[in-house]
Amino acid sequence: MESLPLRPDGVFPPGLPNLPHLALRNPADLYAALHRAAPIRHCHSLVPDQQFLHEVGYVDIGGSVLLSQTGSATDFLVEHSPKLSLVTVFHGQISLDTAGGQIHLVEQGVALLPTGLRHSQGAHSLASITLNPVQVAAAAAAMAGRSGDKAIPPREHFPVIHLPPGSTQGGTIRNLLQTIHSCTAMGPAMATHLGLEDVILRSAAALLHPALLKKEPADLLRYRDPAGRRSFDDLIDYIRANLDQPLRLSDLESRSHYSRRALQYAFRERLNSSPKQWIREQRLALALDILQRQGPQLSVKVVALRCGYLHVSQFSRDFKLRFGISPSQVRRL
């Protein structure tokens, strides 16, 4: 996401060009297009009519919407947004007046905006992800190992959270956007299939609740008592019985009642692996067993789906990296 000059048409290039973008040449069309992401009250061009140009692209990621937008200087007013927004500026700058305060976002800046009023001005290329506060709270509760009456209540009102250029968390979110961008080259549903909505929600939860990223020594001890170990054993049984399912980290935390930190600790101590690495190993071991027993009768795609892979090419790459032979070659043995 290096800085790029304005194009000959006077706007910055889109930060996520893999998304199909619609070119809009008057404010009325832009007003209609942006209603999908937020309840726009008005948008007024700050440049002469002949210079007005915006390009807008969308992709749905589960229940969240990712908007990629670039355009000439414009004034926007959102009367009341019921969603949180995670905003990243790729090029240019934007001034925001929100229910959580004022902020000036420059290139590579990231901000989490609360619900409510938003007024913005600027010429920029940016990405914005709309987030349901209830889903963010659920992700936070899963990361903390809480459920039921211990659930974390949704946060809708808070001061704008600003991550300036160069911040570690901001870099993580920009890397996540690049991952989503790469996924869209393989199809608009790929980011959803890979469970990236859970990663987005967890990133927002960590911004709202910084303590989730800190060490929790008391919680880590939970794994050491008999009840904690039985809970982990039950979780392992559940994973092995559901390798064809997405198995998001938030789901594993909710099911085991381990916090984010405790779950990572338990996997590392018992299995010398992270949850994601161990699940991938189990899926590939299952795939090898199926191919050896039923290979000639089943296509590689069917085997991939049975083992939780939604994209055959990714399955084939992982399989060959692990076993040194392709799934198709195993079928022919």
Side-chain angles (χ1 to χ4, degrees):
M1 300 181 183
E2 297 178 356
S3 178
L4 295 174
L6 290 170
R7 301 184 316 202
D9 55 18
V11 301
F12 292 104
L16 304 175
N18 283 348
L19 273 66
H21 286 71
L22 181 66
L24 306 167
R25 298 190 177 277
N26 68 73
D29 290 339
L30 178 61
Y31 174 90
L34 292 181
H35 256 280
R36 181 177 173 184
I40 301 291
R41 181 171 180 179
H42 74 235
C43 57
H44 297 317
S45 176
L46 300 177
V47 299
D49 291 349
Q50 65 272 20
Q51 297 177 20
F52 182 89
L53 173 63
H54 276 258
E55 295 179 7
V56 176
Y58 286 100
V59 64
D60 293 315
I61 309 173
S64 302
V65 177
L66 169 60
L67 162 71
S68 172
Q69 178 192 354
T70 186
S72 51
T74 306
D75 179 284
F76 295 97
L77 176 64
V78 176
E79 190 163 17
H80 179 82
S81 173
K83 302 287 184 72
L84 311 182
S85 289
L86 189 59
V87 180
T88 300
V89 172
F90 300 118
H91 315 293
Q93 55 189 328
I94 181 172
S95 295
L96 284 159
D97 187 3
T98 78
Q102 296 180 329
I103 189 172
H104 187 73
L105 272 180
V106 298
E107 188 171 299
Q108 307 303 316
V110 177
L112 182 64
L113 311 182
T115 62
L117 173 77
R118 293 174 196 160
H119 182 209
S120 66
Q121 289 185 340
H124 51 259
S125 170
L126 60 74
S128 175
I129 306 176
T130 59
L131 303 167
N132 185 319
V134 174
Q135 291 180 310
V136 175
M143 293 170 72
R146 299 184 185 181
S147 63
D149 58 356
K150 295 182 179 180
I152 295 175
R155 288 191 66 187
E156 299 184 24
H157 311 293
F158 51 86
V160 173
I161 298 172
H162 179 207
L163 304 176
S167 69
T168 300
Q169 279 185 285
T172 299
I173 290 169
R174 289 194 297 274
N175 288 339
L176 172 58
L177 286 171
Q178 287 287 43
T179 300
I180 294 171
H181 179 243
S182 298
C183 288
T184 55
M186 296 183 282
M190 184 52 59
T192 300
H193 290 333
L194 294 178
L196 292 182
E197 183 190 21
D198 189 47
V199 182
I200 295 167
L201 294 170
R202 293 165 70 88
S203 298
L207 292 177
L208 284 173
H209 306 280
L212 292 173
L213 299 180
K214 296 179 180 179
K215 292 184 178 180
E216 305 156 285
D219 184 58
L220 300 186
L221 294 176
R222 167 171 150 68
Y223 171 67
R224 295 188 179 277
D225 66 46
R229 295 186 73 85
R230 284 196 298 273
S231 176
F232 185 75
D233 291 339
D234 291 343
L235 178 64
I236 293 300
D237 291 341
Y238 171 79
I239 292 172
R240 284 177 168 148
N242 292 274
L243 289 172
D244 60 329
Q245 299 301 311
L247 297 174
R248 305 179 310 164
L249 283 176
S250 291
D251 296 332
L252 302 185
E253 291 158 350
S254 296
R255 189 171 189 86
S256 65
H257 306 306
Y258 280 106
S259 71
R260 177 193 66 87
R261 192 84 178 181
L263 187 68
Q264 297 285 341
Y265 175 85
F267 266 86
R268 186 63 61 185
E269 183 181 74
R270 176 77 73 87
L271 302 168
N272 194 31
S273 179
S274 72
K276 285 186 176 181
Q277 290 169 339
W278 188 81
I279 290 171
R280 182 171 61 247
E281 285 292 315
Q282 299 309 300
R283 284 174 165 156
L284 294 172
L286 175 61
L288 179 61
D289 179 65
I290 293 173
L291 287 165
Q292 289 175 333
R293 290 187 294 106
Q294 307 176 51
Q297 289 79 40
L298 300 175
S299 69
V300 172
K301 181 178 181 180
V302 168
V303 175
L305 291 172
R306 285 192 183 182
C307 298
Y309 278 87
L310 297 171
H311 203 271
V312 177
S313 62
Q314 183 64 54
F315 167 66
S316 297
R317 282 194 295 270
D318 286 355
F319 190 95
K320 188 167 186 179
L321 185 63
R322 174 65 180 83
F323 299 113
I325 187 172
S326 72
S328 298
Q329 289 173 309
V330 175
R331 287 180 72 235
R332 294 194 293 267
L333 293 178

